[in-house]
Amino acid sequence: MRIICFQSCEGLEQMAAVTDSGEIYLLQQKSFLELMKEAENKNVTCLSLVHQTIKDSLPMEVKLEDLTLRLPLRSDEVWASGVTYLRSREARNLESKSTGESCYDKVYEAERPELFMKSTFHRTVGPETPVYIRTDSNWQIPEPELGLVLNRNGDIVGYTIGNDMSSRDIEGENPLYLPQAKIWKHSCSIGPSIRLAETVEDPYNLVISCRIYRNGTKVFEDYANTSQLKRKYNELISYLLRDNVVFDGTVLLTGTCIVPNEDFTLADGDVVEIEIPCIGVLRNPVQIQSRMNLVK
Ligand code: DO4
Ligand code: MG
């Protein structure tokens, strides 16, 4: 069971549940956070609340591909994990031209994982909305990642897809530049759905694929599997919770295992697609931030 948010004919945001056979049912809750809250008040899971809500209703007469999907969740905070896959460690060592044991080698092996604040609601976009590339970087890539949707106690209520847009030259110059290499307007996209946790058979066996198109031609494609992750999800969550305040609907990205070759950088007009079959395809055009956007 997946939860989506789509734009209605009146231009309003509407929540819906999508069953595994593709039927779409309208939900009366206005947001995923409202669904979480109602489930908590009734002491049931989001999945059983959705089942109760839709049991006497008829599915919509529409196909998922005909809907304009929106950000499925208003997260106050998106956090991210770093160097959780070998491929990420290799890529970080390359971009920082490290010789000898680097901070990336150390953090890959360390007990404490790398966690960082990635985004806030106002910097995060949903499907089909442009992700921005920075005007002061010449080496930028998408980072396709599985996202854990958490409640305030750190329980996984669902899974989504995240794009941790990253500037490799800024991070490579100095790891202390990490916030600037990771956080700017529209540097994070989330979606296209939230797959309810109980309906994922094995979250450590999810194929993640990424495709990048330029002028309609595919210029990059690669695959990974969450079985390659060095850490367990609960391990990452336990560090996020330590001495911290975590809000309902927080997303924790779990790190990337897909990195384009070193000669690749995103360009204005590219289109990035990230797919995890049980969640969907997160598709975003890439845009250079205009000066007008910067002063808004
Ligand atoms: O160490 C910097 C960030 C790495 C990251 O974002 C990732 O591994 O996905
Ligand atoms: Mg990342």
Side-chain angles (χ1 to χ4, degrees):
M1 182 79 75
R2 288 180 287 166
I3 306 300
I4 56 164
C5 175
F6 68 93
Q7 188 178 308
S8 71
C9 303
E10 297 79 37
L12 302 173
E13 299 209 327
Q14 171 69 56
M15 300 291 292
V18 185
T19 66
D20 287 351
S21 47
E23 289 166 326
I24 304 172
Y25 293 87
L26 288 176
L27 293 175
Q28 75 254 11
Q29 290 83 9
K30 290 197 173 51
S31 67
F32 191 76
L33 289 180
E34 199 177 304
L35 183 83
M36 282 175 74
K37 186 60 52 214
E38 197 178 321
E40 185 187 339
N41 291 341
K42 293 185 169 155
N43 204 16
V44 294
T45 62
C46 289
L47 181 63
S48 50
L49 179 62
V50 170
H51 278 306
Q52 280 171 27
T53 314
I54 67 177
K55 77 175 180 325
D56 297 320
S57 46
L58 289 172
M60 294 171 68
E61 286 183 10
V62 68
K63 291 201 188 86
L64 188 56
E65 51 272 29
D66 297 330
L67 296 177
T68 304
L69 297 186
R70 295 286 181 226
L71 186 67
L73 167 71
R74 187 194 164 110
S75 292
D76 286 327
E77 293 180 353
V78 177
W79 287 75
S81 321
V83 198
T84 50
Y85 290 90
L86 263 182
R87 178 73 189 98
S88 176
R89 176 167 102 169
E90 267 169 35
R92 279 6 359 135
N93 281 334
L94 182 139
E95 72 211 15
S96 60
K97 302 186 181 69
S98 100
T99 52
E101 197 188 24
S102 68
C103 59
Y104 304 109
D105 296 324
K106 285 186 187 150
V107 84
Y108 183 79
E109 298 297 345
E111 195 173 325
R112 183 189 289 272
E114 179 197 353
L115 296 183
F116 57 94
M117 169 73 88
K118 168 63 192 175
S119 192
T120 53
F121 171 69
H122 289 99
R123 296 180 175 87
T124 306
V125 297
E128 303 298 340
T129 305
V131 285
Y132 290 161
I133 42 179
R134 293 187 67 108
T135 54
D136 60 355
S137 166
N138 294 314
W139 195 13
Q140 303 186 68
I141 54 161
E143 287 192 357
E145 306 191 10
L146 175 72
L148 312 175
V149 180
L150 306 178
N151 66 15
R152 62 184 182 282
N153 303 316
D155 304 314
I156 303 177
V157 294
Y159 296 90
T160 190
I161 301 174
N163 178 353
D164 170 22
M165 293 282 287
S166 299
S167 160
R168 298 188 71 181
D169 47 0
I170 295 180
E171 183 178 347
E173 193 178 334
N174 188 325
L176 295 179
Y177 293 151
L178 186 76
Q180 296 173 76
K182 294 290 189 178
I183 308 171
W184 62 90
K185 190 173 175 180
H186 290 209
S187 66
C188 179
S189 72
I190 295 288
S193 74
I194 297 164
R195 177 96 196 175
L196 295 180
E198 309 90 307
T199 69
V200 174
E201 206 173 298
D202 182 1
Y204 293 100
N205 187 19
L206 298 175
V207 175
I208 307 179
S209 58
C210 178
R211 299 173 285 277
I212 303 173
Y213 297 89
R214 184 163 297 165
N215 302 320
T217 303
K218 191 161 61 186
V219 290
F220 174 78
E221 180 166 30
D222 203 1
Y223 301 84
N225 191 299
T226 54
S227 61
Q228 296 162 267
L229 185 72
K230 168 88 186 318
R231 313 237 178 205
K232 293 287 173 236
Y233 302 131
N234 279 335
E235 182 188 343
L236 299 172
I237 296 165
S238 73
Y239 278 91
L240 178 65
L241 289 175
R242 279 194 189 188
D243 299 299
N244 198 4
V245 52
V246 170
F247 305 104
D248 280 339
T250 293
V251 173
L252 175 58
L253 304 180
T254 52
T256 192
C257 186
I258 298 180
V259 184
N261 284 338
E262 58 185 294
D263 56 356
F264 181 86
T265 186
L266 285 171
D268 188 44
D270 286 356
V271 174
V272 178
E273 282 182 2
I274 304 172
E275 180 169 13
I276 299 181
C278 67
I279 302 172
V281 179
L282 175 62
R283 184 175 181 278
N284 296 96
V286 174
Q287 250 181 42
I288 186 110
Q289 283 216 46
S290 71
R291 296 281 153 202
M292 288 246 297
N293 282 332
L294 284 173
V295 292
K296 230 187 355 188

